[in-house]
Amino acid sequence: MEVRLAQNYGFCFGVKRAIKIAQDHRNSITLGPLIHNAKEIARLKEKFNVDVSENLENLPQDRKLIVRTHGIPKSDFKNLQEQNFQIIDATCPYVRKPQMIVEQMSKEGYQIVVFGDREHPEVKGVVSYATGPTDIVADFEELQKLQLGKKIALISQTTKQPEIFAKIASFLSMRCTEVRVFNTICNATFDNQSAADKLSKEVDIMIIVGGKNSSNTKQLFNICKNNCADSFLIESESELDKSWFEGKKVCGLTAGASTPDWIITKVQNKILKI
């Protein structure tokens, strides 16, 4: 069995930055999971006593609070500041950018259209900066049902597919008087998706490693599945099934932006043993 790694995979800049922040601030609490990878969250708890709180009530005043990479709603941030908590902001700069765009464009009277998943914490945080009409569309079909104003500002969740974003931008530009398009898709996302697309066309089986609740990892899986029917999304090496590899000669391997190298290495080693 030959195992080929994608040209780009794994931890992005924002995740590396957040992990370093958490490791530098032992005994802290993250507001929601710092990243979408349960095993890395468990490692931070075990080695650095970094806890996770999904609830902003009854937080201890003697511990530092870390804002997750995906950010939190503006009102939550403000409430914590007013309570004099010591806050360390680990929001990815690529997520902070759309927050600021939404805030400014709302002030200028634009209807905000966000290409993203409405239940994703990043999107919830971004739209909280809007002060006017805001719509979230998960796909091109949802966009076609919107009631559109004359002035539109379009942004994207950082992990969405550029091709669909471009289709949405084109549709809006043909139907609205003024459209401001802000490409807020992260370069690392684009590079990982492009590399996964290329590799999955060259292999017999494709393994995608990452959190099952990670948006960018699910995007990688969908891209690979489109090219290689035998594509599998796993969180760790324990999920590998020997039967997947029967009759296969070349295995492709990629990983989401929240997947640490130590997990990827374990998966690669187990595949080679199989």
Side-chain angles (χ1 to χ4, degrees):
M1 170 69 66
E2 178 189 352
V3 178
R4 295 181 191 169
L5 282 161
Q7 189 172 353
N8 297 91
Y9 63 89
F11 270 4
C12 62
F13 158 76
V15 169
K16 288 178 182 176
R17 173 178 172 271
I19 295 296
K20 185 179 187 306
I21 287 172
Q23 292 179 167
D24 289 345
H25 294 89
R26 289 173 175 269
N27 308 311
S28 57
I29 298 174
T30 67
L31 303 174
L34 186 70
I35 61 172
H36 278 153
N37 190 286
K39 289 188 175 294
E40 182 65 6
I41 297 300
R43 185 189 73 86
L44 289 172
K45 167 62 178 172
E46 180 184 351
K47 294 196 171 183
F48 301 92
N49 194 34
V50 175
D51 288 315
V52 178
S53 176
E54 296 280 8
N55 190 347
L56 300 188
E57 302 295 323
N58 303 316
L59 291 166
Q61 285 282 352
D62 61 339
R63 295 181 73 180
K64 296 174 183 176
L65 304 182
I66 299 177
V67 176
R68 62 193 299 173
T69 50
H70 302 105
I72 60 174
K74 185 179 180 180
S75 58
D76 289 346
F77 201 108
K78 184 179 179 182
N79 288 340
L80 293 170
Q81 285 180 317
E82 289 173 350
Q83 294 176 61
N84 296 316
F85 280 103
Q86 187 174 352
I87 305 169
I88 299 100
D89 193 356
T91 304
C92 174
Y94 291 105
V95 173
R96 186 70 180 140
K97 178 183 172 184
Q99 291 176 351
M100 295 299 92
I101 290 170
V102 165
E103 187 169 50
Q104 184 59 38
M105 290 295 99
S106 278
K107 287 178 182 176
E108 295 182 21
Y110 287 83
Q111 176 184 348
I112 307 297
V113 175
V114 181
F115 171 39
D117 304 316
R118 56 177 43 85
E119 294 304 316
H120 195 282
E122 176 191 323
V123 174
K124 288 181 177 180
V126 167
V127 299
S128 73
Y129 283 80
T131 54
T134 308
D135 293 284
I136 302 165
V137 295
D139 50 39
F140 185 71
E141 286 67 33
E142 279 193 21
L143 175 73
Q144 294 173 298
K145 300 173 186 176
L146 286 189
Q147 189 157 0
L148 298 168
K150 292 182 178 180
K151 294 173 61 177
I152 303 289
L154 172 66
I155 66 161
S156 174
Q157 185 177 334
T158 55
T159 53
K160 284 300 185 182
Q161 288 174 274
E163 296 81 6
I164 302 175
F165 182 68
K167 189 177 180 181
I168 289 171
S170 177
F171 179 88
L172 291 173
S173 66
M174 295 297 290
R175 284 160 179 80
C176 304
T177 306
E178 183 182 349
V179 181
R180 296 284 303 274
V181 178
F182 298 89
N183 182 5
T184 51
I185 297 174
C186 174
N187 285 342
T189 296
F190 176 77
D191 291 342
N192 284 2
Q193 290 180 359
S194 178
D197 183 51
K198 182 176 184 294
L199 181 60
S200 58
K201 293 172 181 173
E202 303 170 350
V203 298
D204 305 313
I205 179 173
M206 194 75 195
I207 303 297
I208 302 92
V209 189
K212 301 276 176 72
N213 61 340
S214 163
S215 174
N216 78 84
T217 304
K218 285 188 283 188
Q219 295 282 358
L220 289 175
F221 171 71
N222 290 335
I223 289 168
C224 293
K225 190 75 174 175
N226 192 48
N227 297 325
C228 178
D230 290 316
S231 292
F232 302 92
L233 171 56
I234 63 170
E235 292 192 346
S236 71
E237 76 283 359
S238 63
E239 295 177 53
L240 289 169
D241 188 324
K242 190 174 180 180
S243 66
W244 296 347
F245 301 90
E246 290 176 5
K248 305 293 194 300
K249 294 182 178 180
V250 185
C251 172
L253 180 60
T254 189
S258 298
T259 310
D261 286 344
W262 62 269
I263 292 179
I264 300 166
T265 299
K266 282 187 173 184
V267 170
Q268 184 178 10
N269 288 342
K270 185 164 182 180
I271 292 171
L272 289 170
K273 285 181 181 178
I274 290 173

